[in-house]
Amino acid sequence: MGHGCLILAVLLLSSASLGAAIRDTPASRLALPSGPYLPIVLWHGMGDSCCNPQGIGAVQDRIQRALPGVFVHSVATGATESADVLSTYFGDANAQVRAACEALRALPQLAGGYVAVGFSQGGLLLRGLLERCTGEGAPAMHTLITMGSPHQGVMDAMQALLGHGVYYSWLQHNLLQAQYFKDPYHLDWYRETSGFLADINNDRDARNSSYVAALTSLRSLVLYQFDNDLTVVPRESSQFGFYNGTHTESMEESAAYRDDRLGLRTLNESGRLTLANCPGFHMQFTLDWFEQHVLPHVAVPVADARVAATHPSRTA
């Protein structure tokens, strides 16, 4: 199958998620902690742009209305709105993570740490950012919240359309969705050729201990799964579950969890991992639901973050 047909197949499969249906509803009143709050970094999903008022821009607006004075940065991977949208399909995930890291390093507002919220594909890229954007000058991620993000990759319909062509080198460096495709029937090929997912998931024999250190440095990891998700297949991938070739196994059933390959077991056993659900299909939520359920995880007072930094073993 040629590159053009492969790209068309991915666009057809992903069309259902274009312009996530984030609907505005009257703002509700919540008993949130008092500010000032840690700054927030958002990374949008496929088919959206950093500042789309019908998408991630509406989420940013709701956050800033609910948390007065909070600084919010929305990651853009394109110079214009149209380029930002196109970059959610075409590009190199590794390059996008590097560029986002440099952008965050340049923001003085993040010097004291930040809360990250990733939507669909954006949550996976934020986890890559957490694991790789380290060292001097890199701001510390305090909390990571992901909404329907394919942490263990995707399969099924894309597999039927793309076949083994998804692992061609060109696609693994130019088509975002190919870079987190995981074929449970050809895991050796996946480990050998995956351009992004196999690395950040420590799925290869040579594991990166710095990724474990980065993930376990989080004060809180919150993973949302959409109950009727038909875009992330299997939907359990949003919480590190996956189809193992015979059945869909949960995060806790996986060898990666038992071996603590990424640090998920450490987070869970220390009370810093939350698995939560959102009713409905992929990225179909109202802003009111977001404020009621997600915002309490997002609203981290600066004072609490300082306590966590002073006592790193303390959990939420």
Side-chain angles (χ1 to χ4, degrees), residues 89-108:
Y89 299 104
F90 308 114
D92 187 326
N94 300 292
Q96 290 187 7
V97 167
R98 285 194 298 269
C101 179
E102 291 309 306
L104 297 195
R105 284 178 183 270
L107 293 174

Side-chain angles (χ1 to χ4, degrees), residues 26-302:
S28 59
R29 295 186 180 275
L30 291 175
L32 295 171
S34 300
Y37 304 98
L38 278 184
I40 298 161
V41 173
L42 308 176
W43 199 322
H44 61 83
M46 183 169 57
D48 202 357
S49 68
C50 74
C51 312
N52 174 15
Q54 303 302 317
I56 199 72
V59 174
Q60 179 172 345
D61 179 68
R62 177 60 71 93
I63 290 172
Q64 291 178 309
R65 280 193 281 153
L67 307 178
V70 72
F71 174 81
V72 180
H73 172 75
S74 190
V75 173
T77 48
T80 65
E81 182 176 355
S82 59
D84 198 16
V85 172
L86 283 174
S87 72
T88 67
Y89 299 104
F90 308 114
D92 187 326
N94 300 292
Q96 290 187 7
V97 167
R98 285 194 298 269
C101 179
E102 291 309 306
L104 297 195
R105 284 178 183 270
L107 293 174
Q109 296 91 338
L110 306 187
Y114 65 98
V115 173
V117 188
F119 300 86
S120 190
Q121 177 177 281
L124 183 65
L125 293 168
L126 273 175
R127 181 163 63 81
L129 180 80
L130 165 68
E131 295 174 10
R132 294 176 175 177
C133 191
T134 59
E136 186 177 356
M141 189 184 294
H142 176 281
T143 295
L144 173 60
I145 303 158
T146 65
M147 307 284 299
S149 299
H151 289 292
Q152 279 284 28
V154 294
M155 56 163 290
D156 197 49
M158 187 182 291
Q159 180 178 351
L161 281 174
L162 300 183
H164 298 157
V166 73
Y167 289 132
Y168 290 162
S169 177
W170 186 88
L171 287 174
Q172 285 296 319
H173 291 89
N174 292 278
L175 195 63
L176 263 292
Q177 290 69 41
Q179 293 161 53
Y180 53 85
F181 176 76
K182 186 175 182 179
D183 185 346
Y185 302 106
H186 298 88
L187 290 176
D188 288 344
W189 200 355
Y190 154 75
R191 294 187 188 101
E192 180 182 350
T193 62
S194 170
F196 182 67
L197 186 69
D199 179 68
I200 68 165
N201 277 10
N202 262 344
D203 278 338
R204 298 188 171 112
D205 292 336
R207 299 176 187 174
N208 192 325
S209 60
S210 69
Y211 291 175
V212 179
L215 197 73
T216 55
S217 72
L218 287 172
R219 179 78 182 278
S220 179
L221 173 62
V222 184
L223 306 174
Y224 277 92
Q225 174 182 305
F226 289 93
D227 289 338
N228 304 114
D229 202 328
L230 299 176
T231 301
V232 172
V233 178
R235 64 179 66 93
E236 290 81 4
S237 178
S238 301
Q239 296 177 339
F240 283 94
F242 203 68
Y243 181 74
N244 65 6
T246 59
H247 70 279
T248 300
E249 61 183 16
S250 68
M251 176 188 69
E252 292 91 341
E253 293 173 318
S254 69
Y257 180 84
R258 295 195 305 271
D259 298 342
D260 214 15
R261 191 174 296 161
L262 269 180
L264 291 168
R265 194 181 72 193
T266 295
L267 283 174
N268 195 25
E269 291 177 353
S270 61
R272 290 177 288 154
L273 174 60
T274 300
L275 304 182
N277 285 57
C278 176
F281 295 98
H282 188 72
M283 289 296 291
Q284 304 289 306
F285 61 87
T286 67
L287 292 173
D288 194 53
W289 180 91
F290 182 89
E291 184 170 342
Q292 287 283 351
H293 296 274
V294 183
L295 199 62
H297 298 290
V298 177
V300 177
V302 171

